[in-house]
Amino acid sequence: LTSIDGAVRSRLQPGDEFCGLRLFSVLGQGAFGDAWLASHPILKVPVIIKTFRGSRVEDVFQEAQLAARIQSPYVVNVLDAGVENGISFVV
């Protein structure tokens, strides 16, 4: 079981490209990670990237898989999930 890097915030900066998306700003910070406003460079649509720290990768992916199955106007769609440069994320 692997753990997610705890130094995510210091490694990502506004203007960086992360998982093919351009980061703009941190929208919020919590105990488990950060939420970033980002943009898809080709589709030109805003997205939110949630990065995680101090959580097991397996737990993050299980939650992303469950959330991706929900079709509701009250729940945002999960578009992608993975690990890039040691940082686990959900879009």
Side-chain angles (χ1 to χ4, degrees):
L1 302 175
T2 56
S3 179
I4 298 167
D5 185 349
V8 171
R9 191 174 308 131
S10 64
R11 290 177 35 194
L12 296 177
Q13 300 295 321
D16 287 352
E17 185 174 303
F18 180 73
C19 64
L21 304 168
R22 177 71 55 201
L23 299 177
F24 288 114
S25 62
V26 175
L27 296 174
Q29 301 170 339
F32 296 108
D34 302 325
W36 288 84
L37 174 62
S39 177
H40 191 283
I42 296 172
L43 301 178
K44 306 291 187 208
V45 295
V47 295
I48 305 300
I49 301 174
K50 173 75 179 199
T51 58
F52 295 87
R53 62 181 171 277
S55 300
R56 293 181 328 146
V57 173
E58 296 84 357
D59 293 340
V60 171
F61 289 168
Q62 182 179 25
E63 184 147 347
Q65 290 165 355
L66 293 171
R69 294 182 188 140
I70 297 172
Q71 300 297 315
S72 169
Y74 306 106
V75 178
V76 298
N77 295 325
V78 174
L79 304 176
D80 195 8
V83 177
E84 183 166 308
N85 298 326
I87 301 170
S88 186
F89 69 90
V90 174
V91 179

